Amino acid sequence: MRALVIDDSRTMRSIVSRTLQPLGFETVEAEHGRAALDVLEGGPLPDLACIDWNMPVMDGLTFVTEVRANPAWRSMTLMMVTTESEHGQIVRALAAGAHEYLIKPFTADAIRDKLDLLGLLPVGEPA
Amino acid sequence: MSVIAGDDVHAIAEEVFAAMVDGEPGTVVPWDGPAPTWAQPLVAWVDLHGAWSGRACLATELPTAHALARALLTLPADEEVGEADLVDAFGEMANVVGGNIKSLLPVAGTLGLPQVAPEAPAAPGSRVVTEVALAWHGRPLVLTVLTVPGAP
C-alpha cells in the first residue's frame, strides 16, 4: 500500500513515515496541501493520506475539500494528523470528508489502531 | 483563576516527549535545582490567536535542542544536526505542545506556525500564565505560557 504524508514539518513527516513503513506502507511526502495535490495529479493514487492541518500555502482542511471535489480521488482514505483537538475542528474535518482524525502527539499503537479501524492494516499485521 | 495550570503543562510535556521523542513515559520530570539559565539559548514558540491570545514557548540550551532534534529524527548521537533540521524539529516540539495547550482553553482559537530563535520577540503587555521548568534526561527545559492581550 502507498501513503501520502503531508506536513510542513520534515520532522513530523519522518515520524509518520517511519511509523507507517513497518506496517507495509510505501510513503511519499509533501510539505503542504498544494504540493500534495501535485503528487496526486502525477499519480498513482495513494491508498491513504495523513494530513496535518496548519500548513503554509494550503492547509489540510482545504486539501481535504479539494480531494473530495475530485471523483477520481474518492477511493483514497483521508486521515487528519494534527494538534487541532477541539471538537469543532474535528467535526469540520470530518464534515469536509476526512475519514479519521488523529491528534498529535500520537503513538505508533494509535496509528495502528486507526488503520485497523479503516481496514488498512495489511493482513497478518496484529492490530 | 488561570485556565492553564503548571501541572497541565507538565502533563502535556510528558505526553509529547513520551510519544514523539523517547517512546516511553517518565523521561521528563520537574527540574530540581535553581532556575535554569542558558549560555546558548534557543526558544521555539507558537502564538495562539482568538478570544484568548497568547504564546507557548519552549526554551533550552542549544546542545539540548540538538539532542532533541537527533532523537526526533532518529539520528546517531554523534551525528551533526543541520540548522534547518534543528529549527524544524525544535519548532515542531513547540507546535505540538502549543496545540495541546490550546486544547485546554475554554474558547476556540487558531494556532500560528512555529518560530525558532535565540529569543522570542517581545510581546508588549504580555503576562506569564504558567512557567514550568523540566528536566529531560537531566537537561533543563522551560515551558512558558503567556497571555498577550490584544494580539491579532
Side-chain angles (χ1 to χ4, degrees):
Chain A
M1 282 196 283
R2 195 160 179 265
L4 173 57
V5 179
I6 312 162
D7 199 304
D8 57 324
S9 166
R10 187 182 92 77
T11 303
M12 189 53 69
R13 294 198 302 272
S14 167
I15 290 171
V16 175
S17 290
R18 68 174 185 255
T19 304
L20 292 173
Q21 286 160 0
L23 299 174
F25 284 87
E26 175 193 341
T27 58
V28 288
E29 299 181 0
E31 61 187 292
H32 49 68
R34 181 62 253 174
L37 290 176
D38 291 343
V39 171
L40 298 184
E41 283 157 6
L45 189 67
D47 302 283
L48 169 71
C50 295
I51 311 150
D52 185 25
W53 190 303
N54 296 306
M55 295 180 286
V57 184
M58 180 186 286
D59 65 31
L61 188 65
T62 306
F63 172 80
V64 169
T65 304
E66 292 279 331
V67 167
R68 283 294 170 248
N70 186 334
W73 296 338
R74 198 155 287 165
S75 65
M76 183 171 61
T77 298
L78 304 178
M79 180 162 70
M80 300 299 293
V81 182
T82 172
T83 59
E84 292 287 348
S85 55
E86 292 156 10
H87 178 71
Q89 298 290 69
I90 296 172
V91 170
R92 282 179 72 197
L94 297 177
H99 296 88
E100 260 299 347
Y101 203 100
L102 183 63
I103 295 167
K104 299 174 185 172
F106 55 82
T107 62
D109 285 346
I111 281 200
R112 194 180 299 117
D113 289 347
K114 294 288 186 185
L115 295 177
D116 190 36
L117 280 173
L118 293 164
L120 287 175
L121 270 189
V123 174
E125 181 65 37
Chain B
M1 187 180 76
S2 170
V3 294
I4 303 169
D7 285 351
D8 294 330
V9 174
H10 182 192
I12 287 170
E14 276 197 329
E15 187 183 357
V16 170
F17 276 78
M20 287 177 60
V21 182
D22 296 305
E24 59 182 1
T27 60
V28 173
V29 297
W31 173 250
D32 183 16
T37 55
W38 323 112
Q40 296 175 281
L42 195 67
V43 182
W45 71 95
V46 287
D47 288 332
L48 294 84
H49 307 283
W52 193 99
S53 59
R55 177 175 292 168
C57 301
L58 174 63
T60 192
E61 194 80 65
L62 186 61
T64 302
H66 274 266
L68 258 175
R70 272 193 295 273
L72 284 161
L73 293 164
T74 61
L75 300 175
D78 58 348
E79 186 164 332
E80 190 73 20
V81 180
E83 178 74 14
D85 282 344
L86 177 71
V87 167
D88 184 88
F90 195 48
E92 188 60 14
M93 289 296 290
N95 183 43
V96 177
V97 169
N100 281 266
I101 286 172
K102 185 164 82 76
S103 73
L104 298 176
L105 299 172
V107 290
T110 60
L111 198 64
L113 294 174
Q115 309 286 321
V116 178
E119 61 179 322
S126 64
R127 181 176 63 83
V128 173
V129 175
T130 301
E131 186 161 84
V132 180
L134 301 167
W136 172 62
H137 296 295
R139 299 165 179 256
L141 301 152
V142 174
L143 268 166
T144 308
V145 180
L146 308 164
T147 55
V148 184

